[in-house]
Amino acid sequence: LLFLWSITVSIFGIGGLLGSSGSRYLTVKYGKKKCLLCNNLLMIVAASIMGCSKIAQSFEMILIGRFMCGISAGLCVPLHHQYVGEISPKKLRGFANSTSSFFWTLGKAIGQISGQRELLGSKSLWPVLMAACGFPALVQLVTLPFFPESPPYLLMHKGDQEGCKKAIRQLWGEGHHQAEIDDIMKEKATMKNTKILSVLELVKEPAFRWQLYMIVILTATIQLCGINAV
């Protein structure tokens, strides 16, 4: 039992690794908005599977649901940061990106509190707790279609300058936005001369060795801070 539940907990991280590894390919091919919409569907399916596990008397459904949640989270984290940053006006971009981390942490805190036996962690309500992750995904699934695709994606990957201008006007209002479009064009020109590294190439590249060490150490120490034990 200990082995099975340990796998059930840790398989979320394995799904997250797979999801984040495929995020770049999917965003370039399909765009950030479409990927986020499909990702919401994946999370809703995962939540439904876990929510129905008690009725079906199947712990395997929890295992599958956790894995799917991990894939969804792995896709969502880089996608959300990129999309929010790209649709925000320049003066609000830093603030908009910081809200992602804030709500990620807030969601963890709410999940930990809701999991107490006095709330949703009881014998009868725990399936509701496991299915609760589908609610934010449903909210985003309903509201996201009213937002345009990311302007940099439309201009840099699709070459749709008119679509980019239309998206900018929808997001930032009417006005003169040529400076922002010029910035995107400069970034596009820079990317043509920049080699995009794979994960393996990044690990082997000596120039990024110390930055990589710092990220690994910081991430490892966060995992060792005792939050899971608490």
Side-chain angles (χ1 to χ4, degrees):
L1 283 175
L2 180 62
F3 176 73
L4 284 173
W5 287 120
S6 297
I7 295 239
T8 303
V9 171
S10 59
I11 203 166
F12 178 89
I14 297 169
L17 178 65
L18 292 174
S20 59
S21 299
S23 62
R24 180 181 170 271
Y25 169 78
L26 292 171
T27 51
V28 171
K29 189 170 177 63
Y30 300 109
K32 296 172 180 68
K33 181 183 171 182
K34 285 181 182 176
C35 286
L36 281 170
L37 286 168
C38 294
N39 193 49
N40 291 326
L41 288 172
L42 179 64
M43 182 62 86
I44 290 168
V45 171
S48 303
I49 290 172
M50 291 190 294
C52 295
S53 59
K54 185 179 180 183
I55 298 170
Q57 296 184 342
S58 169
F59 75 88
E60 293 91 349
M61 289 175 71
I62 301 175
L63 192 69
I64 293 165
R66 286 276 299 170
F67 181 64
M68 290 172 67
C69 272
I71 293 174
S72 179
L75 280 167
C76 181
V77 172
L79 275 175
H80 188 264
H81 276 283
Q82 290 172 34
Y83 184 69
V84 168
E86 289 176 3
I87 67 171
S88 304
K90 190 178 286 186
K91 61 182 179 180
L92 295 175
R93 199 161 291 162
F95 171 75
N97 275 325
S98 66
T99 59
S100 303
S101 301
F102 170 75
F103 283 113
W104 182 260
T105 309
L106 181 64
K108 284 185 175 183
I110 291 171
Q112 293 281 354
I113 294 165
S114 302
Q116 299 302 308
R117 288 176 183 171
E118 293 80 7
L119 298 173
L120 295 178
S122 64
K123 202 171 184 178
S124 58
L125 292 177
W126 66 262
V128 177
L129 178 66
M130 299 209 77
C133 59
F135 177 70
L138 181 62
V139 171
Q140 192 178 71
L141 186 66
V142 172
T143 56
L144 193 59
F146 296 100
F147 287 77
E149 181 53 89
S150 159
Y153 173 78
L154 290 170
L155 189 58
M156 292 169 65
H157 296 287
K158 292 295 183 182
D160 185 1
Q161 192 160 347
E162 284 304 314
C164 175
K165 289 179 180 177
K166 185 180 176 182
I168 286 174
R169 284 195 297 269
Q170 185 180 342
L171 289 164
W172 305 340
E174 296 294 334
H176 188 69
H177 302 297
Q178 190 58 43
E180 286 82 358
I181 295 171
D182 290 342
D183 285 344
I184 298 170
M185 292 300 292
K186 286 177 186 174
E187 188 180 345
K188 184 179 181 180
T190 305
M191 283 184 68
K192 282 183 179 178
N193 303 318
T194 305
K195 185 177 183 288
I196 304 298
L197 300 177
S198 68
V199 176
L200 191 60
E201 287 171 334
L202 177 66
V203 171
K204 290 180 177 179
E205 179 59 51
F208 301 116
R209 193 63 47 81
W210 281 105
Q211 293 93 318
L212 196 64
Y213 288 158
M214 287 171 66
I215 291 169
V216 169
I217 291 167
L218 281 170
T219 308
T221 49
I222 288 168
Q223 295 301 318
L224 295 171
C225 73
I227 185 64
N228 292 324
V230 171

